[in-house]
Amino acid sequence: MERSFEQYFRQNRLPHLWCPGCGNGIATKAIVQAIESKGLERDKTVIVSGIGCSSRASGYMDFDTLHTAHGRAIPFATGIKLANPELNVIVITGDGDCTAIGGNHFIHGCRRNVDLTVVLFNNNIYGMTGGQASPMTPTGKKATTAPYGAVDPVFDACRLAEAAGATYVARSTAYHVQHLTSMIADGLDNKGFSFIEAMVQCPTAYGRKNKMSDPVQLMMWMRDNAVMKAAWDKLPEDKKQGDRFPIGLLYQEAGVDYATAYDHVIDLAGGAAK
Ligand code: SF4
């Protein structure tokens, strides 16, 4: 019997190329289940992705999809949204794609409050391109470019999104899949830049380098270190150290989205032309 989510996948493109135990499939399924829960029309929903393991997801999803250049998914998505604001535009990106190569596009997408739902699959490393450290590789963790451990402080992409102007910011993990689905679904409701960090296990590139090559180990790490936002807020500061991190809705505010703001420019230009 066909399960309801299977209709959203291009069966002729499967099986996928992700490694056994990879968390990208869990996050991709969470996106389609969020789409289904919101009743979004397939013909009005566009999936845009960049480059990397995460960004291969668009090829498997049976919507209008665009697999773009490295780091450039947000500008492509911005163009689609401005050309047709009726469309639901969802961006799938990775930690390297979004916060390194695409870092500037990310902060300006947030600043403009473009009505996009951006889901960052955070596997803490560049998987597809060879296991190099990304800006979201935790300090001290190993990568091919950091054989003795990453020196750089890690980016908190959620705090970056909030500071840059995103109007919905949430985090969840592949372990908390129903929670992740609901965070994405709530992001789809927000008319503005919605950013959801989906932490996903990468047993091959990240796990093997950091003595967690079993995907179950990585998922247990997520289970043991993720703290729901309400509980996180009550923790004393010394309990927020180490590997612990908050999940849930981290930030939300009302704001005028970019297409609406641009309508004003169109009105002004129309008035000037008369
Ligand atoms: Fe998944 Fe990591 Fe393999 Fe990429 S390298 S497909 S992120 S397990």
Side-chain angles (χ1 to χ4, degrees), residues 18-19 22 24 53 123 127 202-205:
W18 292 318
C19 308
C22 175
N24 288 342
C53 296
N123 68 343
C202 169
T204 303

Side-chain angles (χ1 to χ4, degrees), residues 15-135:
H16 58 73
L17 54 60
W18 292 318
C19 308
C22 175
N24 288 342
I26 297 173
T28 305
K29 185 183 168 203
I31 293 172
V32 299
Q33 291 203 302
I35 290 170
E36 184 171 59
S37 74
K38 291 295 163 189
L40 302 189
E41 287 180 51
R42 192 184 312 207
D43 286 345
K44 290 193 173 168
T45 303
V46 183
I47 312 287
V48 185
S49 64
I51 294 292
C53 296
S54 59
S55 294
R56 294 304 291 254
S58 61
Y60 305 126
M61 300 170 78
D62 197 7
F63 297 84
D64 287 323
T65 60
L66 200 59
H67 190 187
T68 70
H70 211 176
R72 316 301 174 204
I74 289 173
F76 275 91
T78 300
I80 293 166
K81 189 69 189 180
L82 286 181
N84 186 352
E86 298 294 307
L87 297 174
N88 311 299
V89 185
I90 298 169
V91 172
I92 298 176
T93 180
D95 44 301
D97 190 63
C98 186
T99 67
I101 304 98
N104 253 319
H105 297 306
F106 176 42
I107 59 174
H108 293 291
C110 294
R111 175 172 73 93
R112 292 169 172 151
N113 196 31
V114 189
D115 185 17
L116 307 174
T117 301
V118 177
V119 185
L120 186 159
F121 293 10
N122 177 16
N123 68 343
N124 300 117
I125 206 160
Y126 283 92
M128 182 169 286
T129 49
Q132 300 92 339
S134 87

Side-chain angles (χ1 to χ4, degrees), residues 231-252:
W232 176 266
D233 288 343
K234 292 180 189 149
L235 284 179
E237 285 306 312
D238 65 321
K239 300 283 188 211
K240 294 181 180 176
Q241 311 299 324
D243 289 343
R244 283 191 176 156
F245 58 91
I247 60 170
L249 173 62
L250 304 180
Y251 181 75
Q252 188 163 28

